């Protein structure tokens, strides 16, 4: 039986268009902050897990080797994870399984991206010019969702405004637009129908880190731990006959596995808040449905009701989300650590009052890779 694991340290850089620091300095910034939060040093860490999006984004191959020294991993096991945009959450889960297995007692997980030193659209197009970009891939599926669900056009604008307003409460956030409004989003340039410029994520530099520990060490730490209640990963092919990219089967299976492990039967009621990977505004209602938080056709209605606002019944992306900060390789880990901050009660101005159980989520590729975890303020929360 897997032994319990907890988040005992959290660190993150600021997320900006360009950070004038080397790759080594970037990852070390987040790692040192996480270690300080945990009351530890590099000497206390048994293994390191590093994650990022495709190496083409910066043109640095095998960063797990070149960054080992900066992460105190010389002479220690260092592992690399890559699952496209979901890599941050997948890397966190890989670290958790190492602790759960009993092989390591403390694991440092670090993810990063420095988009200012590369060309993400070129890299994500397989190193070919003229690529359509991530938005070009997802826009037709968003249009299908709108047609299928009957959602009104303002939903995307509403999500963009909500997340950008939340970002104003988060000092780490990249995009901070004080005068954000539905009208401002609506009037911004159209990029890929129906996505406007202000419904899309930025290109960010940044890194994030967490320290994971076994139960006995977590209980002896200086700060309140965030217990990893359950986690799940699933994937599917990007293209096959009958595939539904609006509601991918792998995403449904991932959510089902997660809730089953946690003993959750009514996720919308039993989970207090969620950090969902929403790089384009319409993916909030799409993932509310695709991960069984609402029934099909009901996700946009939950958004429209105001329930996903910071003060609503089910806050989504209180940190500002991927729409406000997107260091691709780290974005999934940011979702996971922000969920952990909520249940530790350390989220500052974007804290959800009374948060006991929080969901961290990421997806990647052609909406084909999924990774999710649930963290709680208690190791074994009681779900009524």
């Amino acid at each position: 039986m897997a032994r319990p694991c907890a988040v005992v340290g959290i660190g993150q850089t600021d997320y900006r268009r360009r950070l004038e620091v080397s790759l080594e300095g970037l990852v070390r910034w987040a790692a040192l902050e996480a270690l300080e939060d945990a009351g530890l040093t590099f000497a206390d860490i048994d293994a390191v897990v590093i994650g990022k999006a495709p190496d083409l984004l910066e043109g640095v191959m095998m960063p797990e080797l070149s960054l080992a020294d900066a992460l105190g991993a010389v002479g220690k096991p260092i592992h690399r994870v890559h699952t496209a945009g979901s890599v941050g959450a997948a890397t966190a889960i890989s670290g958790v399984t190492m602790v759960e297995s009993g092989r390591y007692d403390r694991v440092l997980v670090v993810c990063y991206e420095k988009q200012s030193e590369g060309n993400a659209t070129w890299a994500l197009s397989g190193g070919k010019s003229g690529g359509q970009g991530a938005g070009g891939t997802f826009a037709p599926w968003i249009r299908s969702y709108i047609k299928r669900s009957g959602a009104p056009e303002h939903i995307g604008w509403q999500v963009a405004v909500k997340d950008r307003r939340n970002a104003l409460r988060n000092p780490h956030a990249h995009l901070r637009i004080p005068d954000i409004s539905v009208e401002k989003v609506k009037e911004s340039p159209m990029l890929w129908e129906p996505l406007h410029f202000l419904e899309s994520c930025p290109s960010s530099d940044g890194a994030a880190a967490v320290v994971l520990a076994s139960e006995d060490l977590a209980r002896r730490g200086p700060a309140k731990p965030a217990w990893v209640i359950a986690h799940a990963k699933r994937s599917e092919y990007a293209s096959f006959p009958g595939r539904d990219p609006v509601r991918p089967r792998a995403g449904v299976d991932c959510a089902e596995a997660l809730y089953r492990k946690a003993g959750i039967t009514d996720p919308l009621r039993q989970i207090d808040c969620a950090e969902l990977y929403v790089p384009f505004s319409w993916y909030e209602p799409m993932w509310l449905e695709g991960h069984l938080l609402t029934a099909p056709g009901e996700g946009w209605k939950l958004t429209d009701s105001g329930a996903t606002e910071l003060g609503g019944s089910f806050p989504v992306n209180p940190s500002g989300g991927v729409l406000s900060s997107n260091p691709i390789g780290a974005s999934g880990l940011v979702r996971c650590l922000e969920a952990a901050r909520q249940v530790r009660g350390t989220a500052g101005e974007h804290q959800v009052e009374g948060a006991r159980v929080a969901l961290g989520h990421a997806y990647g590729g052609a909406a084909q890779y999924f990774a999710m975890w649930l963290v709680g303020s208690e190791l074994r929360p009681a779900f009524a």
Side-chain angles (χ1 to χ4, degrees):
M1 183 176 179
R3 64 177 182 170
C5 175
V7 178
V8 297
I10 292 173
Q12 55 185 323
T13 68
D14 294 332
Y15 306 112
R16 299 291 182 263
R17 175 66 185 89
R18 179 183 296 274
L19 288 172
E20 297 296 342
V21 62
S22 66
L23 287 179
E24 291 81 2
L26 191 71
V27 297
R28 194 171 176 86
W29 175 353
L32 286 172
E33 189 174 294
L35 289 167
E36 181 179 7
D37 185 36
L40 303 171
T41 69
F42 284 118
D44 299 307
I45 298 299
D46 300 317
V48 177
V49 191
I50 188 170
K52 70 174 301 293
D55 290 346
L56 280 173
L57 265 70
E58 293 92 0
V60 178
M61 304 298 109
M62 301 180 71
E64 65 275 18
L65 302 182
S66 63
L67 298 178
D69 189 46
L71 293 172
V74 175
K76 295 182 180 181
I78 182 167
H79 306 264
R80 165 76 185 280
V81 177
H82 172 46
T83 57
S86 70
V87 63
T91 305
I93 291 171
S94 294
V96 171
T97 58
M98 291 177 181
V99 174
E100 288 178 335
S101 72
R103 182 67 181 85
Y104 305 117
D105 293 321
R106 294 190 181 105
V107 172
L108 173 65
V109 175
V110 184
C111 296
Y112 74 94
E113 207 70 69
K114 207 161 190 296
Q115 292 201 63
S116 66
E117 296 190 359
N119 185 318
T121 298
W122 177 83
L124 296 176
S125 301
K128 300 188 290 273
S129 60
Q132 63 187 359
T137 298
F138 297 134
W141 304 340
I142 291 170
R143 292 196 295 270
S144 293
Y145 168 76
I146 292 170
K147 182 177 180 180
R148 184 186 301 185
S149 68
E153 63 178 348
H154 72 265
I155 297 299
W157 309 334
Q158 189 172 328
V159 173
V161 171
K162 170 183 68 72
D163 284 7
R164 300 283 164 59
R165 284 179 175 162
N166 289 347
L168 294 172
R169 298 170 174 264
N170 179 3
H172 294 292
H174 175 174
L175 291 185
R176 303 170 62 79
I177 309 174
D179 62 342
I180 191 69
S181 66
V182 166
E183 197 64 27
K184 191 177 183 73
V185 175
K186 179 181 177 181
E187 292 179 355
S188 66
M190 182 70 74
L191 296 183
W192 308 275
E193 174 67 35
L195 295 168
H196 292 256
F197 179 73
L198 289 177
E199 292 179 86
S200 304
C201 57
S203 294
S204 310
D205 287 356
V210 294
V211 177
L212 303 168
S214 59
E215 180 181 5
D216 57 334
L217 294 178
R219 293 192 184 281
R220 297 194 331 238
K224 179 180 179 179
W227 298 100
V228 182
I229 300 168
H231 55 82
K233 292 189 287 186
R234 293 292 188 275
S235 62
E236 65 183 40
Y237 289 113
S239 179
F240 58 83
R243 181 177 190 244
D244 183 359
V246 175
R247 184 183 169 87
R249 185 69 236 174
V252 174
D253 290 347
C254 191
E256 286 179 341
L258 184 78
Y259 304 149
R260 184 169 59 249
K261 288 179 183 177
I264 283 178
T265 55
D266 186 352
L268 192 61
R269 182 176 61 84
Q270 295 169 320
I271 299 171
D272 297 307
C273 57
E275 283 281 339
L276 300 180
Y277 200 107
V278 178
F280 303 100
S281 60
W282 280 96
Y283 268 97
E284 174 175 301
M286 289 172 71
W287 289 144
L288 287 171
E289 298 177 25
H291 295 311
L292 309 179
L293 291 156
T294 72
E298 298 296 316
W300 70 264
K301 296 177 184 177
L302 192 74
T303 294
D304 202 29
S305 73
T308 62
E309 299 274 352
L310 185 55
S313 61
F314 189 78
V316 174
N317 293 330
S319 70
V322 180
L323 276 175
S324 300
S325 304
N326 187 33
I328 299 176
S331 294
L333 181 57
V334 179
R335 310 280 66 73
C336 290
L337 70 77
E338 284 290 350
R341 291 182 72 193
Q342 290 292 342
V343 300
R344 293 175 95 195
T346 60
E349 290 187 23
H350 60 277
Q351 177 69 47
V352 174
E353 186 177 354
R356 294 175 55 251
V357 177
L359 169 65
H361 156 272
Y363 82 102
Q368 66 191 108
Y369 303 110
F370 296 89
M372 306 169 72
W373 81 1
L374 284 168
V375 285
S377 57
E378 303 170 43
L379 175 56
R380 297 178 180 86
F383 295 113

